[in-house]
């Protein structure tokens, strides 16, 4: 088993493309995941065990949002746990590529954990609003439901776009050139990045600021959903045979 530095170099060499990835994921989450993946490799963990570690940090943080009265201390703890969970979410794939131990079961487990995360994070906010929020209006209870809808539809539609695109590409002639990585796109995607979304929980100690930040992100994610759905529909339509 190589040194930590050797493993990190091998992981950098096996990194996924930066295309379609925001600056946060490229320069914060992936490097953090690389360190965790190297540590997991030296500890003899499997990619699936790393996925479960991601779930443990993430779901524990979301349970705390739902069950504990909001405070600055809670916000810091929740953000830290969500950030670590997100880094482990990157580490499992990196470890799988390094060891060659990835497979359909691991990809399935990773997506199940991600789907649960998207459902639970907004459910936890809804419960917190209801239990501790002292909301200006009960209409605020609809906000997490709308945000949850946008997040889950984006996640599922993106997965379907990827899988249907792969199926269509399998029968297409070879030789197409991948588009270059765009830094402008990487900056534009920042508001839709899960890691950036997690920052809003640092505002849990100020309920009004948290609601405002959460609402602003909900609007941004809804706009991104509309843009993504339009783009993906056009791309899939262009792949229609004949």
């Amino acid at each position: 088993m190589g040194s930590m530095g050797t493993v990190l170099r091998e992981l950098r060499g096996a990194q996924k493309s930066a295309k379609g990835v925001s600056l946060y994921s490229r320069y914060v989450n992936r490097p953090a995941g690389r360190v965790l993946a190297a540590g997991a490799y030296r500890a003899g963990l499997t990619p699936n065990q790393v996925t479960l570690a991601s779930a443990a940090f993430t779901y524990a943080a979301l349970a705390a949002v739902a069950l504990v009265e909001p405070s600055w201390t809670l916000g810091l703890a929740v953000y830290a746990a969500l950030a670590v969970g997100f880094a482990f979410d990157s580490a499992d794939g990196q470890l799988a590529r390094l060891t060659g131990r990835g497979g359909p079961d691991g990809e399935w487990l990773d997506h199940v954990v991600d789907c649960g995360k998207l459902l639970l994070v907004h459910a936890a906010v809804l419960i917190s609003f209801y239990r501790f929020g002292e909301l200006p209006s009960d209409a605020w209870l609809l906000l997490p439901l709308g945000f949850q809808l946008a997040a889950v539809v984006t996640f599922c539609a993106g997965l379907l776009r990827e899988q249907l695109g792969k199926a269509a590409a399998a029968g297409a002639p070879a030789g197409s050139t991948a588009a270059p990585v765009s830094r402008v796109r990487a900056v534009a995607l920042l508001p839709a990045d899960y890691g950036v979304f997690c920052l809003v929980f640092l505002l849990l100690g100020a309920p009004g600021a948290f609601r405002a930040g959460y609402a602003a992100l909900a609007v941004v994610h809804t706009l991104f959903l509309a843009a993504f759905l339009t783009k993906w529909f056009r791309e899939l339509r262009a792949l229609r045979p004949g």
Side-chain angles (χ1 to χ4, degrees), residues 33-50:
R34 194 153 53 235
V35 173
L36 292 176
Y41 175 77
R42 290 181 58 79
L45 299 180
T46 68
N48 286 351
Q49 288 171 329
V50 174

Side-chain angles (χ1 to χ4, degrees), residues 6-230:
T6 300
V7 176
L8 284 170
R9 283 193 296 273
E10 292 179 359
L11 283 165
R12 278 192 292 270
Q15 188 66 68
K16 290 170 64 176
S17 168
K19 181 182 177 183
V21 175
S22 85
L23 288 182
Y24 178 90
S25 286
R26 191 188 307 182
Y27 293 115
V28 179
N29 198 56
R30 282 186 174 181
R34 194 153 53 235
V35 173
L36 292 176
Y41 175 77
R42 290 181 58 79
L45 299 180
T46 68
N48 286 351
Q49 288 171 329
V50 174
T51 301
L52 293 177
S54 171
F57 276 95
T58 301
Y59 293 176
L62 299 181
V65 171
L67 300 175
V68 180
E69 186 170 359
S71 67
W72 292 110
T73 301
L74 176 67
L76 182 60
V78 165
Y79 170 72
L82 290 177
V84 171
F86 192 34
F88 270 117
D89 188 29
S90 174
D92 58 6
Q94 297 190 51
L95 181 62
R97 287 188 294 277
L98 175 68
T99 60
R101 297 174 67 180
D105 60 315
E107 187 173 358
W108 175 84
L109 179 63
D110 183 54
H111 287 131
V112 168
V113 169
D114 284 346
C115 188
K117 172 176 69 179
L118 291 177
L119 289 167
L120 289 176
V121 67
H122 301 294
V125 171
L126 175 61
I127 294 170
S128 180
F129 278 0
Y130 181 77
R131 297 186 67 201
F132 311 113
E134 299 181 3
L135 303 174
S137 165
D138 286 344
W140 278 94
L141 296 174
L142 298 175
L143 178 63
L145 296 177
F147 203 158
Q148 183 183 72
L149 175 65
V152 172
V153 171
T154 301
F155 178 75
C156 293
L159 280 180
L160 282 170
R161 164 64 185 94
E162 181 182 358
Q163 296 304 315
L164 292 171
K166 285 179 180 178
S176 59
T177 303
V181 174
S182 168
R183 183 167 292 271
V184 173
R185 178 177 170 82
V187 173
L189 287 172
L190 273 172
D193 193 295
Y194 175 78
V196 174
F197 163 73
C198 292
L199 288 168
V200 76
F201 289 96
L202 290 172
L203 298 175
L204 278 175
F210 175 79
R211 286 196 304 271
Y214 183 81
L217 286 171
V219 171
V220 169
H221 278 247
T222 301
L223 293 174
F224 268 98
L225 171 62
F228 284 146
L229 290 181
T230 301

